[in-house]
Amino acid sequence: MDPGMNQLLKWSIENSEKTENDCRDPKAERPSGQGLNEEAIRSLMGGPSDADLMKLSMAAIQSPDVSLEDKLVAFDNFEQLVEIVDNANNLESLALWTPLVTELSSAEAGMRKFAAWCIGTAVQNNVKTQERVLAVNALPTLVQLALEDPNDQVRRKAIYALSSEIRNYPPALHVMVQHLPKELRPGGVVNAGDMDDMDKVMDGIKQASARVV
């Protein structure tokens, strides 16, 4: 990772709590550039692109030298970035789909939750990203998380990701149904473009998820 961008990420994480405090206390001192080295300042003044920030966030998420707390901050930033359609579409060209899906299998519940959350956000109303989730074979893992993960928040975000992935995208619906337990599979033909059909399918998954203890 570029040293300047690395320093910028560290500074951003260290000052995130200060920024939150500013909202509660208008007299609180605002974060400054203190602590940023020259390379980081150059990176900041050059205006890192969203693509740079996405790569930077994922580098932090995967780094063994970054604390779990800071990884979750980086994941939060990543999720906000992929809310923008162009950024979500760039996940493929930036080679970020595979590392993102890998985090679905993290030992840390918070990491699994954010991975599912980011996927759900990236694929909403976006056929291009829905195709990529299918291509990287994320659906079986998402189904397993939705129905078996011991953490309720992980299950909820996995359901969110599944719901976003299958709506208006029949190939994903077909694959998801294949990986559902028989009792959760729809009894007849369902239409991925029919939101009532999709709600019924997802309601069954939600009910099964709620029974996990």
Side-chain angles (χ1 to χ4, degrees):
M1 185 190 303
D2 176 75
M5 293 296 286
N6 186 47
Q7 181 71 12
L8 181 57
L9 174 65
K10 181 179 179 181
W11 175 85
S12 175
I13 291 171
E14 289 175 347
N15 283 280
S16 61
E17 184 175 348
K18 294 180 183 178
T19 303
E20 292 175 4
N21 289 338
D22 289 348
C23 296
R24 295 188 291 267
D25 182 4
K27 295 182 179 179
E29 182 181 353
R30 298 188 64 81
S32 69
Q34 185 176 3
L36 289 175
N37 62 23
E38 187 175 346
E39 288 179 311
I41 292 173
R42 280 201 302 269
S43 295
L44 182 60
M45 295 303 292
S49 66
D50 282 0
D52 290 331
L53 294 173
M54 290 164 67
K55 290 188 292 184
L56 183 63
S57 295
M58 186 55 70
I61 289 164
Q62 293 189 298
S63 173
D65 299 322
V66 175
S67 69
L68 175 60
E69 181 180 1
D70 290 347
K71 286 177 185 285
L72 296 178
V73 171
F75 237 147
D76 189 23
N77 293 337
F78 192 87
E79 193 277 331
Q80 294 178 57
L81 285 164
V82 298
E83 287 179 355
I84 301 170
V85 173
D86 287 345
N87 290 342
N89 288 339
N90 282 338
L91 285 168
E92 180 181 4
S93 62
L94 297 173
L96 294 177
W97 272 115
T98 296
L100 175 58
V101 170
T102 298
E103 293 303 325
L104 291 173
S105 302
S106 171
E108 297 290 344
M111 300 292 281
R112 299 195 301 275
K113 179 191 78 171
F114 263 112
W117 191 353
C118 288
I119 291 171
T121 298
V123 301
Q124 276 192 326
N125 303 310
N126 188 334
V127 173
K128 181 175 180 179
T129 51
Q130 287 173 309
E131 290 174 347
R132 294 315 306 163
V133 167
L134 198 59
V136 296
N137 199 34
L139 282 170
T141 305
L142 287 169
V143 170
Q144 183 178 22
L145 292 178
L147 297 176
E148 299 178 13
D149 198 279
N151 185 283
D152 177 65
Q153 292 187 11
V154 174
R155 296 198 304 275
R156 288 175 183 270
K157 292 306 181 185
I159 290 171
Y160 163 64
L162 289 171
S163 181
S164 298
E165 171 67 8
I166 66 172
R167 292 179 188 270
N168 294 310
Y169 189 49
L173 173 62
H174 176 71
V175 172
M176 185 192 76
V177 168
Q178 287 183 320
H179 287 87
L180 291 176
K182 290 183 178 180
E183 65 271 16
L184 294 180
R185 295 174 186 173
V189 177
V190 290
N191 182 355
D194 186 323
M195 294 305 102
D196 287 337
D197 277 0
M198 294 301 92
D199 287 344
K200 290 177 183 177
V201 172
M202 294 310 304
D203 283 346
I205 295 174
K206 290 176 183 176
Q207 291 170 14
S209 177
R211 293 194 290 269
V212 175
V213 294

